Each structure stands twice: as C-alpha cells, then as structure tokens.
Amino acid sequence: MKSRTVAYIVLAVTIVFAIAPTYRGQIELPVRVHHLLHAMVLVLAAFTGLLFARSAAPAKGSRAFWLIVTIVAPMLAMFLMWPSNYSPLDRLPAAHTAEHLGLALLGFLTAYAGQQYATGVGVAMSLSLWAMAFLAAWGFGVSPPLQVQTAAAAPTAAAAANAGTAPDPHHGQAVFSQNCASCHGAQGQGGMGPRLIGESSRKDLMQAEAWIENPQPPMPKLYPGTLSAQDVRDVAAYVETLK
Amino acid sequence: MSAISIEADAFAPATAADLRVARRIMWTYISTGLAIFFLMMLLGIAMRAEQAGWVTFDPGWFYALLSLHGVGMITAMAIAGLGTLWYLVRRETPLDPRIAYLAYGFFVAGALCVIIAVFPGKFGSLWTMLYPLPFVGTYWPSWATGVWLVGNALVMTGFMVWCAQILGALIARFGGILGMLGIGYVFNIRGYEEAHREPPSPQMFAAAITAIDGIIGSTFGLAAGIGMLVHWIDPSVAIDPLWAKNLIYQFGHTFANLTMYMAVAGVYVGLPLCTKREYHTSKPLAIAWWGTLLFVIIAYFHHLYMDFAQAETVQFIGEIASYLAAIPVVVVTVFSGAMLVHRSGMRWSLGSMFLYAGMIGWVVGGTAAVLDATIPINLDLHNTLWVPGHFHTYLLQGVLLFTMGWVFVTLEQRSATITSLAMRWLIGGTIFGGAAMFLLSFYIAGANGVPRRYAVEPAPGPELATVATIGALILLAGIIIAAIEALRLARLPKAQEAAA
C-alpha cells in the first residue's frame, strides 16, 4: 500500500477519534482522562503528519518558516488543553468537536512542519508534543487530594479570611438556593449554567472556592459583595457534596 | 541572504563568507552572554555585601535580586555557549543564520521580560519557584509573576529553536541519529577505518547532546511554564505541586548542566590549537557522552530527595544517574585534555590557561555536586550554602573559564599575539585568587550549616560573607582587566594582514 494511502487512512481514523466523543452527548470526564484522550488525538494527528511528510515533495526555498511552526504548534496545543474549559465543552458538542479538530491540526502541523524543515526534526517535535500532552495528565488541572498538600498550599482569599473556620455545607445549601440555583438548578442538575453534580471529581474544595471567588463570564462575580468569605466556603463545600 | 537547504548541502564546505557570518553570530552571542554575566555578577556582589552587613536593603529586594541573578547567570552562560557551539557546528555543516538570530531574539526578549519582572516588578521567588509560591503569599504584584513566566517561556522557546536547528543539521550531516551519536562508529570502528569515514568530532558530540537533551528539557520546562501561565490567568486551574517541582527542576537542572557541555566544545577545539595536537574522537569519549545524554535528564532527582511525596525508588535512580551523567564525560575529557597538554610544549597563554583551569574547576565543582547527590550527605548539605558553592564553582571556574579560554584562544590565534607574562600573572592571580576566596566561603559556610536562599544568615554566615565579598571584588577586578586585555587583542590587526 502506498505511503500516501496509509496517510489518508490514518487521517480518517484521527478525525473519527477526534469527533466521536463529542457525539456522545453530555459527558463528564475527569480532567486526567480528558488530557489522555487529547494526547491520543495528538499522537494520531502527528503520526498522520509524519506519514504525509514522508510522501510530500521537499520544501523549497527558506525552511525557517517550518521550524517556527513546528516549535509553536505544541505550545498552542498545550494552551488548547486549558483544563477549566473541559466542563463547559462537555456540554457543547460543536465547540468540543472544534477543539478536538484544533488539537488534531496542531498535532499534524507539529510533525509535518518539522519534517519539512529537516528530516528527524518532525519526529523529535512530535515526541515533545506527546510528552507535553501526557505530562499534562499528571498535574495540569489535576491536583492531589487536599489533605496531602502542604498546609501552606494555595489558601484562597476566602479561606485565608476564615482560617480555622470549618465550612458548613448546610448553610452553603441555603446560600446556593438564593444565589446559584436559578442558573445551576435547585439540585445542581444544570440549566442555564453548567451541571454541578459530580463537580468534586473536577475540582477540590479549594479549587471550587477559587472559582466562585474569580469566576469566568458569564457566571457573575458575587464575592466580595453579595457573598462573604464564609458564604463562599460554605457554598463550595455544598457543591462538593453534590453526587 | 540566501536560504540554506540543509539536506542537499549537508556536506557543502563553508565558504569564507559563510564563516564570516558565523563568526559574527558567535561574537554576538558571546558578547551578549558575557555582558549579562557581568551585570549579574554585580548583583551577586551586592547580595553578598548585604549579607556581610556592608550595605543594607529591604529583604524583598534581596530575593528579587537573587531571582534575577540566578536565572540571569545561567541564561548568560547558555547564550555564550550556544554561540560558540553554533559557530563550531557551522564549520562542519550548513546552518541558516536567520534561525540563529531568531533564537537570539527570543533570548533577548525573554531576558527583557525577566528584568521588567524584577525592575520594577520586584518578583522574588527565583526560577526554582515552587508552586504555589509565585501565586500565593507574594509581596510583588501579580503582573510581575506573569511577565516572569512569559520571560522564562521565551528563553525556553529560543533554546528549543536553537536545538531543533542543530538537531536537523546534525541528522542531515551524519545520516541519522545513530551516525550523529557515533553509535555506528563505536560498533564498527574497523568499517569506518576501511571506508575512510570520520566519526563525529568531539565538539559535535557536545552539540548533539545539547540539542537532544535541550529539546527534552524545554519540553518539560514549557509544560510546567504553560501550566503555570494558565494558572496565573485562570486560578481555578489547579497545578499539582510535586508535578510542577519535577518539571521545573528537570528543565532547570538540565539547562544548567548543558551550559557546561556547550562550553566544553571550546576545549575540544581550543586546546588542540594551543598544543598543536588533535583531539580525536575515541570509543570511550563517545560512550561517555552517551552516558551524559541518557542520565543528565534524570539527574535532577537529587533536588527532590527531601520531598517525602516523591517515590523512594526515584530517589535512588537520581543518585546513580547523578554519578553517571557527570563522572564518565569529566574523566574522559579531562584525561584526554591532560594528555593533550602533557609534553606538548604548549605556551601558557591566557587562552590555554583558562581552558586548562576550567577543566580543574569542572572537576572541583563536579565533585561537590557528586557529594551533594549522595543521599545521606544531601540530607545535611542540600539546603545549605554548600550547593551554591558547587554551582558557583561549576559556572565561575568551569563554564566561564571555558568561555573566556575560547575567546582568548580565538583572539590570540587571530592576532598571533599572546599577553605579556606580567599581565597573565595579574589576571590569573586576581581571577583564581578572588574566586578561591569567594567559593571557599560558600563551602565552609555550607559545611557549618548556614542555610541558602536567606537574606539574613546566622553565624558564621556574615563573617564568611565578608570574605566572599572581598574575594568577589578581587575576581571582578580580574575580569575587568581580562576584558580590557581581550579588547586590546581584538583591536590588533589580523596576523596575515600584519605580515603583509
């Protein structure tokens, strides 16, 4: 079988792999699993790029452009794997597909551009890309349970203001009903805002507090102002209990 | 400037014009690296003077200066080494000068960002920042953290560009990874001899290892760097502290180690120029470099011996890797270098003196590192001034001397002139004497348990800081005199022009 034919087959497999999960409807995957699936997309896409480069005509003229592409593409892929976007993307199949195809394109470009620059560079940069993607699964948006972190690790403003005060999920439920339920649903089942059931698999208490303190639009920023530091803590504790 | 087709011209000899361009690139890199080094040295002296009680400034500024000093010194030496190595590779295979300037642009942009993060940002958590430190409990504004992270990412990107270019060129020149690492040569020496094929020269091993390990290190560094940049923008994205520490030290330790391997290329080319003997590639040399290639990427584990959450097996791997990364290549290079000099009738010019002394500094700094990499000793020494003693020896009396040696050998060859005996004594005496005072203060303080990374030190820290400051000032004077002498040599006419 010709190299170009194999390349097209692998390309088809890559695209199917990239878009398939997005047709499963709303899915809730832990960040680590998400990273690993993305890494697989990148493996396939870069492999496709290597195959296409193998059967492509050597680049003419300056190759400096290709070197820049092969260096920048893995970094852009790492930015595209921004973990806090996973949860919203899980609920937006079209955006999720676009994100996967973006990753596939960056994986392809890393390998193809590297090989166009000089034989072997595409392979080296593909390995670099894969390493970054797999490394991400062990720490980028993924954190060990709170109790194994050092006591000094990342206290949030609310936590710092309430050092020593235990969070109260019951009070958090009341605050949630008044301020959050209109978007997230009375039981956190989702609505205009994302579903929060199972949020503890994506964010620990500290991360949930940090998110409430500094949310991304369109979620309103209620702290400080509407919510006190203790309210933030209690709501975060309540959200962690939603299973 | 015409583009260079790497594969088609892999064996094309460099023309005089090519070499002129390559030398310009080399001097651009070296002069930039040495200028940054000089400025960082001034910061270092200011900090030691503050610890000695000669001057007083806010501890916040101490940590900001320490941050700039640490990252600046390593980057400075890397820039100088990469320039030297680029030129040496260009002598043997085509390289596109524009890519060298592109990488240089990234380095300069990164350095500017880092400087802005410190002046006026007052960023103070060092390049060895351990998550969550740059984000939580800081006394500097948040923007300074972001600019610092961007600056570091730009330096890593520049390094990645440089490494990818050299990797591509060496693969084309030697027909693949096996050829560029001398694997074919080691397992088939007779075949090479019968075919009159030459193995890669020693300096090509330095270039190959720098390129491969540089890409690996930058991969780890950029993964951590981008992760932390995302966390800076979006604090809800968690970062695993142990993950971040592993990645930061993998890049940092590898990058710092590689500065030596970049600079040692100058020894492989410079010492033969002084001794009129060739530095041949041998089987032990090739195998020693393989050890460095493999083990330098995991030697950093010795920075994490005290992290209880790190798997214990990894700690023992780190100890063995630390030995294997450094010892073979030091032994082979230094032994070969000594044999090259032995009974060669070499004149002890400034160039040859710095190159030879650099090998001694490499051994001393390396021995201190090997001691620190030994787990029971590490537990006592790692958080003390012993470790700065090791890496200051490594950089000041190893990498810097190799770089200065290469600069002087080049200038001496160009002008066919060597420095007067009195001037050599003056420069040698101030540089080696000052360095001895400066470095011994670190080791003695470390052995006495004086902690590192503290603006204010317990006794006998301040007393030893006084000795260190005096030593550093003497060393500074020596370097200024050496720089003036280098400028004098550079202004002399070329040897052939003078003869004409």
Side-chain angles (χ1 to χ4, degrees), chain B residues 74-91:
Chain B
I74 292 177
T75 306
M77 285 294 87
I79 291 173
L82 291 172
T84 304
L85 209 43
W86 196 93
Y87 169 70
L88 296 177
V89 174
R90 180 63 192 95
R91 296 197 322 172

Side-chain angles (χ1 to χ4, degrees), chain A residues 56-242:
Chain A
K60 290 193 171 62
S62 171
R63 298 178 184 210
F65 167 76
W66 292 114
L67 182 64
I68 295 167
V69 172
T70 196
I71 299 285
V72 172
M75 291 187 241
L76 293 179
M78 191 76 180
F79 274 109
L80 206 52
M81 291 170 65
W82 196 297
S84 64
N85 290 335
Y86 288 174
S87 196
L89 285 175
D90 278 342
R91 286 176 283 278
L92 296 167
H96 204 159
T97 303
E99 187 223 11
H100 283 189
L101 292 177
L103 280 174
L105 178 66
L106 291 169
F108 179 89
L109 283 175
T110 301
Y112 186 82
Q115 291 299 89
Q116 283 292 303
Y117 171 69
T119 305
V121 171
V123 177
M125 293 312 299
S126 297
L127 291 170
S128 170
L129 169 76
W130 298 340
M132 274 197 215
F134 281 106
L135 282 171
W138 276 269
F140 184 30
V142 180
S143 175
L146 188 58
Q147 58 269 27
V148 303
Q149 295 187 23
T150 59
T156 61
N162 286 282
T165 311
D168 177 2
H170 293 295
H171 176 244
Q173 186 174 15
V175 176
F176 183 91
S177 302
Q178 288 167 12
N179 299 285
C180 317
S182 56
C183 292
H184 293 287
Q187 308 299 322
Q189 74 274 21
M192 196 161 67
R195 170 186 162 91
L196 296 177
I197 292 172
E199 190 68 6
S200 59
S201 68
R202 293 182 291 274
K203 291 188 182 74
D204 63 25
L205 179 65
M206 238 167 32
Q207 293 158 350
E209 282 180 45
W211 177 264
I212 297 165
E213 284 172 9
N214 294 295
Q216 282 187 354
M219 180 166 155
K221 184 171 165 61
L222 301 178
Y223 170 85
T226 310
L227 301 185
S228 68
Q230 184 62 46
D231 290 339
V232 170
R233 211 149 191 235
D234 294 345
V235 170
Y238 169 67
V239 169
E240 291 286 298
T241 66
L242 296 174

Side-chain angles (χ1 to χ4, degrees), chain A residues 58 61-64 67-68 70-71 74-76 78-79 82-84 115 117-121 124-125 127-129 131-132 135-144 148-150 152-155 203 207 210-211 214 216, chain B residues 3-8 95-96 98-99 102 106 131-132 136 153 157 160-162 164-169 171-172 215 218-220 222-224 226-231 233-241 243 247 308:
Chain A
S62 171
R63 298 178 184 210
L67 182 64
I68 295 167
T70 196
I71 299 285
M75 291 187 241
L76 293 179
M78 191 76 180
F79 274 109
W82 196 297
S84 64
Q115 291 299 89
Y117 171 69
T119 305
V121 171
M125 293 312 299
L127 291 170
S128 170
L129 169 76
M132 274 197 215
L135 282 171
W138 276 269
F140 184 30
V142 180
S143 175
V148 303
Q149 295 187 23
T150 59
K203 291 188 182 74
Q207 293 158 350
W211 177 264
N214 294 295
Q216 282 187 354
Chain B
I4 293 166
S5 170
I6 286 176
E7 287 163 27
L95 292 172
D96 186 341
R98 288 168 307 175
I99 295 174
L102 176 70
F106 276 113
Y131 178 83
V136 176
T157 307
M160 189 77 110
V161 168
W162 188 97
Q165 183 188 28
I166 298 297
L167 180 69
I171 287 175
I215 289 175
S218 300
T219 298
F220 280 72
L222 283 167
I226 293 171
M228 296 178 93
L229 205 50
V230 167
H231 177 82
I233 299 166
D234 177 1
S236 73
V237 173
I239 299 286
D240 182 332
W243 175 85
L247 266 55
F308 63 89

Side-chain angles (χ1 to χ4, degrees), chain B residues 47-48 50-53 62-63 66 383-385 388 441-442 445-446 449-466 468:
Chain B
M47 286 184 292
R48 286 307 257 164
E50 199 272 345
Q51 287 172 325
F62 180 91
Y63 296 114
L66 187 59
N383 286 331
T384 71
L385 286 175
S441 304
F442 275 128
V450 178
R452 63 175 170 139
R453 296 181 184 144
Y454 278 83
V456 180
E457 294 174 340
E463 292 78 11
L464 288 163
T466 305

Side-chain angles (χ1 to χ4, degrees), chain B residues 223-489:
Chain B
I226 293 171
M228 296 178 93
L229 205 50
V230 167
H231 177 82
W232 173 68
I233 299 166
D234 177 1
S236 73
V237 173
I239 299 286
D240 182 332
L242 191 61
W243 175 85
K245 187 169 183 181
N246 269 278
L247 266 55
I248 288 170
Y249 272 96
Q250 201 290 333
F251 168 73
H253 187 266
T254 304
F255 190 51
N257 259 212
L258 289 178
T259 58
M260 179 62 86
Y261 302 129
M262 298 163 196
V264 83
V267 179
Y268 290 143
V269 180
L271 218 45
L273 288 171
C274 302
T275 58
K276 311 283 187 259
R277 290 170 169 175
E278 281 193 53
Y279 204 126
H280 289 291
T281 294
S282 61
K283 213 170 176 176
L285 183 87
I287 294 169
W289 275 108
W290 298 349
T292 303
L293 171 75
L294 288 176
F295 295 111
V296 85
I297 57 177
I298 48 172
Y300 80 94
F301 287 138
H302 63 239
H303 284 277
L304 283 89
Y305 286 157
M306 281 174 242
D307 289 74
F308 63 89
Q310 186 90 331
E312 198 173 317
T313 318
V314 171
Q315 315 291 37
F316 292 111
I317 291 172
E319 181 169 352
I320 294 164
S322 301
Y323 300 155
L324 293 176
I327 295 172
V329 79
V330 173
V331 169
V332 173
T333 300
V334 171
F335 180 77
S336 311
M339 288 300 101
L340 218 59
V341 171
H342 182 60
R343 293 192 175 177
S344 68
M346 178 183 82
R347 291 187 70 183
W348 289 100
S349 65
L350 281 177
S352 56
M353 181 176 77
F354 284 143
L355 290 177
Y356 201 80
M359 292 198 293
I360 297 169
W362 190 12
V363 172
V364 175
T367 304
V370 164
L371 283 173
D372 181 59
T374 305
I375 291 172
I377 300 174
N378 180 282
L379 296 177
D380 285 330
L381 288 182
H382 195 71
N383 286 331
T384 71
L385 286 175
W386 180 275
V387 174
H390 140 61
F391 59 69
H392 278 88
T393 311
Y394 192 84
L395 281 174
L396 266 180
Q397 294 296 284
V399 183
L400 178 68
L401 291 189
F402 284 161
T403 306
M404 288 174 67
W406 170 249
V407 167
F408 273 101
V409 166
T410 309
L411 295 175
E412 288 159 0
Q413 294 286 321
R414 179 183 170 279
S415 61
T417 307
I418 66 168
T419 305
S420 69
L421 183 65
M423 185 61 97
R424 275 181 274 156
W425 271 103
L426 178 65
I427 292 174
T430 47
I431 288 184
F432 300 132
M437 285 175 73
F438 175 67
L439 296 170
L440 280 171
S441 304
F442 275 128
Y443 287 120
I444 295 168
N448 280 283
V450 178
R452 63 175 170 139
R453 296 181 184 144
Y454 278 83
V456 180
E457 294 174 340
E463 292 78 11
L464 288 163
T466 305
V467 178
T469 310
I470 295 168
L473 287 170
I474 295 170
L475 173 62
L476 180 71
I479 286 177
I480 291 171
I481 298 168
I484 293 168
E485 176 62 7
L487 287 174
R488 187 188 73 81
L489 289 175

